[in-house]
Amino acid sequence: MSQLSELLSPSAILLDADAADWREAIRRSGELLVSTGATDPAYTEAMIRTVEEHGPYIVIAPGFALAHSRPDESVHRTGMSFVRLAEPIAFGNAANDPVTLVMALAAADSSAHREALAALAGVLADPARRSLLDQARTREDVLAALAADGAGPGERSAEDSRSGAGAGTDTSSGSGSGTGAMVDADAVPSKKLLLTVCGNGLGTSLFLKNTAEQVLERWGWSSHLDVQATDTISAKGRAKDSDAILTSGAIADTLGEVGVRVEVIENFTSQAEIDAALRRIYAV
């Protein structure tokens, strides 16, 4: 959890903030990035434009939005902010609205924040730890909730345990070994690549990649499949080299027909939902 705490300073946490709509909610989170020296105001406006262009795909779990945009000259260093809204706000994501928690991510490059997103995924997937964020009274409470012991990104959440995801998974469908053992007789040969896609390839797509990799690790398939996070433009060019695309409904609409299967994931923290999608893709 140290990577997450390093990127989120106490002064970048705001509790019970007032916001009239989703744009103002993102602005509140962006203002915190500016105040801590992570970004210039231009990055805040870029985060808003990203949603205007691609839809509310940043709402990646019930009540939670991860605002972000591409790295540019307005990003001085990788950092995060945390805003809990005084009143829930609709972002336009039917599956996960209304939003109460908004975190903003400013990434100076494509890799520095990966561990932080993995840690954050573990927090949001654990109902007890998520509840701590919803009920935190101080900035210190927020940081403690993010660092608290819990299921962690490599463990199943309570939802996944109840659903039985991964229990008794049979990876021996078909015949042979390696990727040949991954599919049944009616499935197409695997290209050994899955794409997770968001507007810029550096935020929610990495979040989704992390959760998908957790499922594959639990299945024992990690050595058979490469999961790569990418943006919408790159995904259109690379789609036919992959087995399938995992993404949000808003990004799926943006992609349109790309020649491969596109699975829409509503809750990017849910191993159970991604488990089910992978079973559909690989017919297991």
Side-chain angles (χ1 to χ4, degrees):
M1 296 301 174
S2 59
Q3 188 77 352
L4 183 56
S5 62
E6 288 170 6
L7 297 184
L8 179 64
S9 67
S11 57
I13 297 173
L14 180 62
L15 299 179
D16 302 325
D18 292 323
D21 55 26
W22 65 264
R23 288 180 177 83
E24 190 171 351
I26 292 177
R27 285 197 177 95
R28 300 304 296 272
S29 66
E31 289 166 359
L32 293 171
L33 293 176
V34 173
S35 69
T36 55
T39 67
D40 291 334
Y43 184 75
T44 302
E45 298 307 312
M47 291 194 294
I48 293 172
R49 285 197 303 274
T50 295
V51 178
E52 291 174 339
E53 293 172 3
H54 299 290
Y57 76 93
I58 66 170
V59 187
I60 58 176
F64 178 84
L66 180 66
H68 60 287
S69 188
R70 294 179 182 275
D72 60 22
E73 62 276 4
S74 66
V75 178
H76 304 304
R77 61 174 175 80
T78 300
M80 300 184 77
S81 66
F82 178 98
V83 173
R84 189 177 68 202
L85 299 169
E87 297 293 337
I89 288 177
F91 275 56
N93 185 308
N96 294 322
D97 272 343
V99 170
T100 56
L101 301 180
V102 181
M103 291 190 73
L105 168 68
D109 56 53
S110 62
S111 61
H113 57 296
R114 289 185 178 181
E115 290 183 15
L117 291 183
L120 180 59
V123 174
L124 296 175
D126 184 329
R129 300 169 78 191
R130 168 60 191 266
S131 180
L132 290 175
L133 293 177
D134 291 330
Q135 298 173 15
R137 296 184 178 182
T138 66
R139 294 170 172 174
E140 290 71 23
D141 288 344
V142 171
L143 293 173
L146 293 173
D149 291 334
E155 301 291 337
R156 282 185 291 167
S157 69
E159 173 196 354
D160 299 321
S161 297
R162 289 193 299 270
S163 70
T169 299
D170 180 7
T171 59
S172 60
S173 301
S175 60
S177 59
T179 54
M182 291 164 47
V183 296
D184 67 14
D186 296 325
V188 297
S190 173
K191 298 175 183 176
K192 302 182 181 181
L193 175 65
L194 278 173
L195 297 178
T196 61
V197 183
C198 73
N200 53 52
L202 293 173
T204 57
S205 60
L206 281 174
F207 206 102
L208 183 54
K209 165 184 163 70
N210 176 74
T211 311
E213 287 176 338
Q214 293 165 19
V215 175
L216 293 174
E217 181 178 359
R218 197 174 70 240
W219 284 15
W221 287 17
S222 296
S223 61
H224 302 313
L225 283 171
D226 183 21
V227 184
Q228 295 185 13
T230 189
D231 59 42
T232 52
I233 296 175
S234 298
K236 289 179 180 180
R238 302 178 61 196
K240 292 184 179 180
D241 295 325
S242 70
D243 294 339
I245 287 173
L246 304 181
T247 190
S248 67
I251 294 298
D253 291 341
T254 298
L255 287 173
E257 177 56 49
V258 290
V260 297
R261 184 172 189 151
V262 177
E263 284 282 344
V264 171
I265 306 298
E266 293 181 348
N267 184 349
F268 284 21
T269 70
S270 174
Q271 291 188 29
E273 185 177 352
I274 295 173
D275 181 291
L278 294 178
R279 289 176 187 274
R280 290 192 295 270
I281 293 168
Y282 294 107
V284 298

